[in-house]
Amino acid sequence: MIDVDKDWLSSQYSLGFDAIELVVDGVNRTYRARAGKKHFYLRLYRASGRPLSQIIAEVTLLTQFPDCADVGISRPVATAGRSAHILELACGGGLRHACLFESVDGDPIELTPAGMAQFGASIAQLHLAMPTAICGDMRSLEPIAIVQDTLLALSPILESREVSGVIEHDYLACLRRSELHSLPAGLCHGDAWAGNTRVHQGKVHFFDFDDFGHGPLVLDLGTASWHLARAESLNSGDMVASLISGYERVRPLSKIELEVLPLFIGLAEVRSLLFLARYCALTDDLWAETFRKAMDVFALSQHS
């Protein structure tokens, strides 16, 4: 379903769009817009759960992110006259916020140990290039608060009782024993995985900062490791090792970061459960499979 009028969108940006197509029909809707030989991506933000103040903070980050020789990002496009970056669109009987982003050209990260080493280095380069602070309502990525929110979101789902018990009594207990207060913190991408990057002329470019926020930097490394572990490939262990090695070539991890990394792989699982519980309607069979995989992740994460 295409519910964005290309002529109206053209008038907002003075770009003359030739075509618009829906490429991701999810909680957020993403459209590819073509203007001549150039492509852009229009993000239609979720109907709830992402306040305008947080979207403004995301745009602020991406407009203030420095031009960097080591790593790149997809920047938001200003409307005609550079008056704004965020639009309001009618969708599903209500209004939703939207933002147009530059297309990131290039190839996917190679899913090889060498590719993961490059990806790990790029995450560290992203962390080092991030502004130290921005104005706006930034999402907090405080681990214990995320776990507590997840337990609350899972509580109406009867099938979640076993996994919720493991999260509360085992995983959360491990988190609380950890020295989270001593972890280096800053602005994180929030969903750092290979699918949110492209490589152009040897430089890694990141996009989709919808989950960005302020928290322990190791959160991004844990998220990237979680994606590799969830792929269930035979060499996922080697891939994670290469990812960490690549990261440390740019920014060495502290002893405590290395110790808690398994817990942050578990935190990525917690955040995935939180998203599913808040925004997705799964069948009983899908919930059962989701919780089975989650139990495997938490069993590993407690070995930190």
Side-chain angles (χ1 to χ4, degrees):
M1 174 183 177
I2 304 300
D3 46 12
V4 178
D5 183 275
K6 68 180 179 63
D7 294 329
W8 177 84
L9 194 67
S10 296
S11 70
Q12 299 300 302
Y13 291 96
S14 299
L15 280 170
F17 293 111
D18 303 307
I20 297 177
E21 60 176 324
L22 179 66
V23 292
V24 178
D25 185 10
V27 175
N28 296 316
R29 295 168 68 88
T30 304
Y31 302 81
R32 182 185 296 112
R34 177 170 56 82
K37 294 183 178 181
K38 291 186 176 181
H39 289 84
F40 302 86
Y41 286 89
L42 182 72
R43 164 66 59 85
L44 192 61
Y45 288 94
R46 66 195 70 171
S48 63
R50 189 83 198 282
L52 175 59
S53 57
Q54 288 189 1
I55 299 173
I56 291 172
E58 177 188 347
V59 168
T60 301
L61 167 67
L62 297 177
T63 53
Q64 291 183 357
F65 192 89
D67 290 326
C68 178
D70 298 317
V71 67
I73 60 164
S74 170
R75 296 187 187 272
V77 179
T79 56
R82 304 193 64 81
S83 59
H85 288 92
I86 301 169
L87 301 175
E88 259 191 347
L89 276 71
C91 180
L95 292 175
R96 290 170 65 172
H97 295 104
C99 186
L100 188 72
F101 293 91
E102 299 171 344
S103 175
V104 175
D105 298 322
D107 301 313
I109 289 271
E110 293 183 4
L111 298 178
T112 63
M116 288 302 99
Q118 181 186 29
F119 182 38
S122 71
I123 296 174
Q125 289 159 347
L126 181 72
H127 287 165
L128 294 178
M130 284 284 203
T132 55
I134 60 169
C135 296
D137 178 20
M138 276 189 300
R139 177 190 287 108
S140 171
L141 297 175
E142 199 282 312
I144 290 177
I146 291 171
V147 175
Q148 291 170 336
D149 286 346
T150 302
L151 290 170
L152 182 62
L154 289 174
S155 60
I157 303 170
L158 295 179
E159 297 86 350
S160 72
R161 288 177 180 173
E162 183 180 7
V163 74
S164 292
V166 169
I167 293 172
E168 183 173 7
H169 301 296
D170 299 330
Y171 175 74
L172 185 55
C174 290
L175 263 185
R176 284 178 167 148
R177 287 195 299 268
S178 301
E179 298 179 31
L180 298 180
H181 64 278
S182 64
L183 291 171
L187 298 186
C188 301
H189 180 281
D191 190 18
W193 70 293
N196 282 337
T197 63
R198 290 293 184 270
V199 184
H200 181 63
Q201 297 179 347
K203 182 176 178 177
V204 177
H205 296 253
F206 285 83
F207 55 90
D208 192 356
F209 284 74
D210 187 55
D211 291 321
F212 109 94
H214 187 277
L217 296 180
V218 72
L219 179 143
D220 277 340
L221 201 54
T223 300
S225 300
W226 174 79
H227 277 283
L228 291 172
R230 291 281 283 194
E232 298 181 348
S233 64
L234 293 176
N235 65 339
S236 61
D238 292 339
M239 302 275 270
V240 170
S242 295
L243 177 82
I244 296 169
S245 174
Y247 187 97
E248 289 208 279
R249 287 206 297 265
V250 176
R251 177 186 168 268
L253 295 164
S254 66
K255 180 182 177 182
I256 183 63
E257 285 178 300
L258 287 169
E259 289 176 353
V260 302
L261 179 57
L263 288 176
F264 277 81
I265 296 174
L267 186 66
E269 184 69 35
V270 170
R271 295 175 70 213
S272 175
L273 292 175
L274 177 60
F275 181 87
L276 292 173
R278 279 183 172 171
Y279 300 112
C280 301
L282 273 62
T283 64
D284 290 346
D285 287 345
L286 281 175
W287 273 125
E289 178 65 11
T290 297
F291 293 143
R292 182 191 67 77
K293 291 182 177 180
M295 295 286 279
D296 292 340
V297 173
F298 295 131
L300 292 174
S301 71
Q302 292 166 45
H303 295 159
S304 62

